[in-house]
Amino acid sequence: MSVEFRDYYEILGVPRDADEAAIKKAFRKLARVHHPDVASDKAGAEEKFKEINEAYEVLGDPEKRKRYDTLGASWNQPGGMPPDSGGWGGGAPGEGFEFEFGGTGFSDFFERYFGGGMGGGGFARGGGSFRGAAGPSRGQDIEGDLMVTLPEAMTGSVRTISLRRMDPRTGQTSLEEVQVRIPAGIREGQRLRVPGHGAAGSGGGGAGDLYLRVRLAADPDFRVRGHDLYLDLALAPWDAVLGTTAAIRLPGGKSVQLKVPAGSRTGDQLRLKGYGLPKKAAPGDLYVVLAIDAPPRVTHEERELWERLREVSKFQPGKG
């Protein structure tokens, strides 16, 4: 099955020699514009958001970026197909079948070169007992990656996954669709098992299973640690000194009011209990990490006020 090359630099709008900071900045800018929480066209934004995430998944990782940059001379030819890297190839070992996924959030290009499996999204992992040429044998298991956005991880969702199989010996293809339930509170690295949707068995043996490994999409604002979420909040100096109330946007688009106490400092963490990822015992928490942000420019009047404050203040940095 042909796999179309993806130009991740073009997707993020950065040059090939962009440094890590420029790549991260470009990702966050684009991700905020196309985030499903804020975009009017939810379906279109979700696809674009996942495309941006895929590009950042590769270019934001030094090892994956190096592998991407050395795929071959055709890397910058849109629609071209780079040569296989490191002997990676399509299909399930010993079966000759190739697999392509749809609806996982990752392109076949990503799955072939950077995913958890091999061969356009399908990878046979061990599977079943073999009883000789005449006996029944269980089909191989197939594994692929599944991109899950933070809102999906918060509330759970159902995803339609398509699986196309091709037997290169006959040229015949088959397409099946399966509904995959993504439970609320799912975490990075978890595997979802879809029984009986792996490679077909032989000699009367049962089919293998399909396993989808969860890859949480990078969010431009939130960081995920276990079931807890972390969010940076920039504060004006006067709000840090005097205290304030800030509206905190939650995954999914809703917001909650957070009281910032007077005398807050950079690095302080304010806990919003129960606003993290769901889990059986109790949901995780949301930690808001404070950072004081000074204005880059001030008016003449503002400068006079700051100078007056410096004259009258008895505060000594580093001494509380």
Side-chain angles (χ1 to χ4, degrees):
M1 296 181 186
S2 62
V3 178
E4 183 178 353
F5 181 78
R6 283 206 161 186
D7 190 335
Y8 293 137
Y9 291 102
E10 182 179 343
I11 290 172
L12 292 185
V14 296
R16 279 197 86 208
D17 59 355
D19 59 20
E20 290 185 27
I23 290 173
K24 184 176 182 179
K25 182 179 180 180
F27 161 74
R28 295 185 70 177
K29 181 180 179 180
L30 289 171
R32 285 195 175 105
V33 172
H34 298 284
H35 200 290
D37 284 353
V38 299
S40 55
D41 178 9
K42 300 295 183 183
E46 185 173 349
E47 288 304 311
K48 185 64 177 178
F49 182 76
K50 289 175 180 177
E51 180 183 57
I52 295 165
N53 244 279
E54 179 178 313
Y56 184 62
E57 172 88 6
V58 175
L59 299 187
D61 183 306
E63 290 300 318
K64 290 178 182 175
R65 183 181 181 183
K66 181 179 179 180
R67 191 191 313 168
Y68 177 75
D69 287 341
T70 57
L71 279 177
S74 62
W75 75 268
N76 61 347
Q77 298 175 12
M81 178 57 195
D84 283 345
S85 173
W88 292 18
E95 294 188 358
F97 285 91
E98 292 183 356
F99 304 89
E100 285 184 356
F101 289 144
T104 63
F106 287 107
S107 68
D108 290 323
F109 174 80
F110 178 90
E111 284 288 1
R112 182 177 290 269
Y113 292 99
F114 304 101
M118 294 193 295
F123 177 38
R125 279 217 195 272
S129 57
F130 294 85
R131 301 182 181 177
S137 62
R138 179 182 181 275
Q140 298 274 3
D141 294 334
I142 303 170
E143 182 175 301
D145 293 295
L146 179 68
M147 185 186 297
V148 176
T149 64
L150 184 54
E152 285 180 309
M154 291 290 294
T155 62
S157 68
V158 176
R159 188 84 64 80
T160 300
I161 303 298
S162 63
L163 179 60
R164 185 161 69 100
R165 312 163 187 262
M166 183 184 75
D167 186 343
R169 295 167 298 187
T170 64
Q172 293 182 334
T173 62
S174 62
L175 177 67
E176 61 178 298
E177 292 187 343
V178 59
Q179 299 291 308
V180 177
R181 187 180 70 86
I182 302 172
I186 198 163
R187 291 185 295 169
E188 174 78 16
Q190 284 188 240
R191 294 201 308 166
L192 299 176
R193 175 174 172 259
V194 187
H197 286 275
S202 61
D209 298 329
L210 167 63
Y211 287 92
L212 296 172
R213 186 180 63 173
V214 171
R215 308 280 285 269
L216 286 182
D219 193 275
D221 298 312
F222 295 95
R223 300 182 297 280
V224 182
R225 297 178 185 171
H227 284 88
D228 295 329
L229 303 179
Y230 289 78
L231 173 69
D232 295 327
L233 176 64
L235 286 178
W238 44 87
D239 286 334
V241 172
L242 302 175
T244 188
T245 299
I248 303 299
R249 183 187 65 82
L250 304 173
K254 296 182 179 180
S255 63
V256 63
Q257 296 296 310
L258 172 68
K259 185 177 181 180
V260 179
S264 292
R265 299 183 178 186
T266 291
D268 287 353
Q269 296 184 6
L270 304 181
R271 178 188 177 202
L272 287 169
K273 187 176 181 180
Y275 283 96
L277 289 175
K279 59 181 178 180
K280 288 184 178 179
D285 301 323
L286 168 59
Y287 290 90
V288 180
V289 184
L290 306 181
I292 299 176
D293 192 8
R297 293 173 296 276
V298 294
T299 65
H300 178 71
E301 181 181 8
E302 288 172 330
R303 183 176 184 83
E304 288 183 338
L305 292 172
W306 281 111
E307 289 176 345
R308 175 60 179 157
L309 178 62
R310 180 164 58 183
E311 292 175 1
V312 302
S313 176
K314 294 181 172 56
F315 173 67
Q316 298 182 26
K319 297 184 179 180

